[in-house]
Each structure stands twice: as C-alpha cells, then as structure tokens.
Amino acid sequence: MDGEGGTGRRTLLDAEAGQLFRDVVREGVLRPDDERLAEEHPAHASVQLLVELGLLRLDDERGGWLPVDPATLQAGLVAPMGRQAVELLAESAAWADTLSSLASAFRRTPSSSATHEEIRGLDAINRFLEGAVDDAEEELLTAQPAGPRRAQALAIASSRDLRALERGVRMRTLYQHTARRSRSMRDYVDVMRQKGAEIRTLDEFFNRLIVIDRRLAMIPGETTQTAVIIHDRWLVEYLIDVFERSWERGRDYDKTTRTTESEIAAEIRQLTVRMLTEGHSDSASAKRVGVSTRTYASYVAALKEEYGVQTRFQLGLAMGQKDTESAPDN
C-alpha cells in the first residue's frame, strides 16, 4: 500500500470503488452473478480492491459479498502507514544530519588548490550562506550596501543572525546612512543590537561583503545572481582590512540625535553633489547613495531649489562657481 500503488488505490477508493461500496451498502449484498464481478466489466478493478482491503467479504449464508464496516479495518490499514511515516521521518532527519555534517566539513576544509569558488543562483547562494553562518563560531563581519533591505530578506537574515548571536558569535554590520530611514530596518537593528550585534552606517558606497570567522569571505560575482566564495587566507585578510577601515569611519546605529541626523543629512548631500559633479547617471548615482532613482531625483530637485536654478546644467555651473569662490587663494 506504499508508493504510487498505495496512492492509486486510495484514489480509486475515493472515486469508483467508493461509489461501488456505497451501492453495495444500499443493496445489502453483491450477488455472485452480478455483472460487476465479471473481469471484462469496468467496475471489476473496484470490486477487487474492495475485496483486497476487506471491505467486502463472502457470506455463504447470504449468498454473496457483504459490506464490512470500514471502521473495523482502519486500525489495521492506517496504523502501519503511520508507523512507516514516523520511521521515514526519523530516517530523513538522520540523513539530513549526516549530510549537514559533511557539508560543514566541506565548507570548512576547501581543497588545497581552491582559493575561491563561484556560486550561481540566489537559492544556491542563500543555502550556502545559511550553512556558512550556522557554522560560525567566533565572528561575522557583514557590509550591506544599497540602503534599506527588503522585508523578506530581513526576515531570513533575522532568523539566521539571531541563531549566531545566541551562540555567542560577535557580529558587526555596516550599512549606508540611508538605511536609517526604513522602519523595518530600524526594527531589525533594534532586535540585533539587543542581542549584542554592533551596527554602524556610512555615507560612502561600498560593495557587499560577508566574512565568517576570518577564514571565509563572500563577495558579489559578475551579476546579481552570482557570488564568489574566497578561501585564500591573504585575500580574506585583505578584505577584513577594507572592512575595518570602513568600520572606523562609520557612525553607530544608535538612538539618533538631532545633531547626528543633521550631520548624516549633510554627508548624504555631499555624496549627492559628488555624484552630480562626477557626471554619473541617475541610476548609478542612486545605487551609490543607497536610495531609489526617484528619491535620488528628489535630492537633485532639492539642490536645484537651493541654488535657485532650473536645469542640471545650471546646477553644475552654480556648484562649480561656489567651489571656485570657496577655494583658498594661492
């Protein structure tokens, strides 16, 4: 009764065989000369199934096949399936534990010739990251650019990061200043900080980076669907140094004061001005500032109003003139 055969038989019992059983219950008996017992009859398979399951039994005194109360057969039919399901669940859990242990060993002990490897596909990246973070024992360093993270990504990260923090892993995370404006980000940060995480923000754009126990690093690949895992000790140390330099310049993500808000706003404004003067496209500039293209356009509009101009060309001239006037005389 297991596998596809069991499913097919139960499906038949739900349909034609079940209806035949109801008919026999209503008729009281299935006579030996009933045409439905003939092998060529369409209902023959249903009759066979009812007999095999014990739902029809031959009664010589009544002269035919009598229906049997299904409740009397349920324990004998269903209970073994339940026991088998429990055994399968236990076996699947054992397989999962064994494979997880082997996967952990694989992540921790890359081949001596492999300094890096590429992972393709977001699902594969997330699976690797989930396992790698769960393997962390001492420290997690993460740099997450491009402003606030999406709610779904935060939910996944929250569960993963909390497990690490509860194991006593030290976690330091760097975001851009614009992440402070998201309510979901603030809620996530509050929870993480309560569990001991250290979180800072920075005005400058930086690339995504994750370092685990100073032995493994993950950086973006050539597309958003790829990631590169670095095992080489010296490359990992170099990336840690890059992170530490950015961390030193970052601002603590604490209860922001008005002074801090003003300073952060000034830094975002300065970065926007730099993007304009360097001639980057709106999409590239928005990514570097850590906001949407629409929000970046509103920053540009605010600068136009500040300088009293109508076009970006006029804005560039006005900013250039101001820089010239503020430059010290030689």
Side-chain angles (χ1 to χ4, degrees):
M1 290 271 305
D2 55 354
E4 294 183 359
T7 301
R9 286 151 65 91
R10 195 256 310 144
T11 301
L12 182 59
L13 187 61
D14 274 341
E16 291 91 343
Q19 185 57 51
L20 175 61
F21 179 79
R22 294 182 181 91
D23 292 342
V24 176
V25 170
R26 186 174 60 255
E27 297 165 5
V29 63
L30 183 66
R31 301 293 179 184
D33 58 353
D34 193 299
E35 63 179 6
R36 289 170 292 187
L37 292 172
E39 291 187 8
E40 64 273 9
H41 195 279
H44 180 70
S46 296
V47 173
Q48 276 192 314
L49 177 61
L50 294 175
V51 172
E52 290 173 8
L53 293 178
L55 290 171
L56 289 180
R57 66 176 177 83
L58 184 62
D59 189 307
D60 293 332
E61 292 184 3
R62 295 285 301 276
W65 296 89
L66 300 181
V68 177
D69 183 358
T72 63
L73 306 175
Q74 186 170 345
L77 289 172
V78 178
M81 296 181 192
R83 288 194 296 271
Q84 186 180 27
V86 171
E87 292 171 359
L88 285 173
L89 285 173
E91 185 65 17
S92 66
W95 272 95
D97 289 343
T98 299
L99 292 174
S100 177
S101 175
L102 293 175
S104 177
F106 178 81
R107 288 190 296 267
R108 289 180 170 276
T109 315
S111 63
S112 58
S113 61
T115 60
H116 68 278
E117 60 183 301
E118 186 177 67
I119 301 178
R120 293 183 175 273
L122 292 180
D123 289 342
I125 293 171
N126 287 331
R127 283 196 300 271
F128 182 92
L129 186 58
E130 187 89 5
V133 172
D134 282 344
D135 288 342
E137 297 177 346
E138 298 178 2
E139 182 184 55
L140 287 175
L141 306 177
T142 62
Q144 299 284 354
R149 299 167 73 183
R150 294 180 179 179
Q152 183 179 6
L154 278 178
I156 296 173
S158 179
S159 174
R160 183 180 63 219
D161 295 344
L162 282 174
R163 291 197 301 271
L165 289 168
E166 288 168 356
R167 294 196 307 273
V169 176
R170 183 190 181 192
M171 187 174 81
R172 286 187 289 159
T173 302
L174 189 63
Y175 291 103
Q176 286 182 264
H177 284 335
T178 48
R180 295 172 178 259
R181 300 179 177 179
S182 165
R183 176 60 183 272
S184 59
M185 278 295 305
R186 291 198 299 271
D187 292 342
Y188 164 80
V189 167
D190 286 343
V191 172
M192 293 299 111
R193 285 170 58 86
Q194 289 173 10
K195 295 295 183 178
E198 301 171 63
I199 299 175
R200 295 183 181 182
T201 64
L202 190 66
D203 61 327
E204 296 181 10
F205 175 80
F206 46 85
N207 279 319
R208 181 169 281 106
L209 170 66
I210 300 173
V211 181
I212 299 172
D213 287 344
R214 297 182 174 251
R215 59 177 173 76
L216 176 152
M218 176 184 281
I219 61 174
E222 59 182 352
T223 71
T224 57
Q225 297 284 327
T226 59
V228 177
I229 311 304
I230 297 174
H231 305 287
D232 183 84
R233 172 188 172 187
W234 302 114
L235 286 176
V236 173
E237 287 292 337
Y238 175 81
L239 292 171
I240 292 172
D241 182 64
V242 172
F243 177 89
E244 295 290 1
R245 291 172 185 271
S246 297
W247 181 260
E248 289 300 319
R249 298 195 305 273
R251 294 179 179 272
D252 285 333
Y253 198 130
D254 54 6
K255 298 298 182 181
T256 307
T257 64
R258 288 188 176 182
T259 300
T260 304
E261 288 179 349
S262 177
E263 292 173 347
I264 288 174
E267 290 176 0
I268 294 175
R269 176 189 179 281
Q270 184 178 1
L271 181 57
T272 303
V273 170
R274 197 175 87 199
M275 294 298 100
L276 283 168
T277 56
E278 291 178 0
H280 298 288
S281 67
D282 278 11
S283 58
S285 297
K287 181 179 179 181
R288 293 181 70 87
V289 176
V291 295
S292 67
T293 304
R294 178 178 298 181
T295 300
Y296 178 77
S298 71
Y299 291 174
V300 176
L303 285 171
K304 288 179 182 177
E305 183 176 354
E306 177 184 338
Y307 281 89
V309 297
Q310 299 296 321
T311 68
R312 293 198 180 193
F313 178 73
Q314 292 172 333
L315 179 60
L317 289 176
M319 289 191 299
Q321 183 178 0
K322 184 175 181 180
D323 289 343
T324 301
E325 292 174 352
S326 61
D329 295 331
N330 291 328

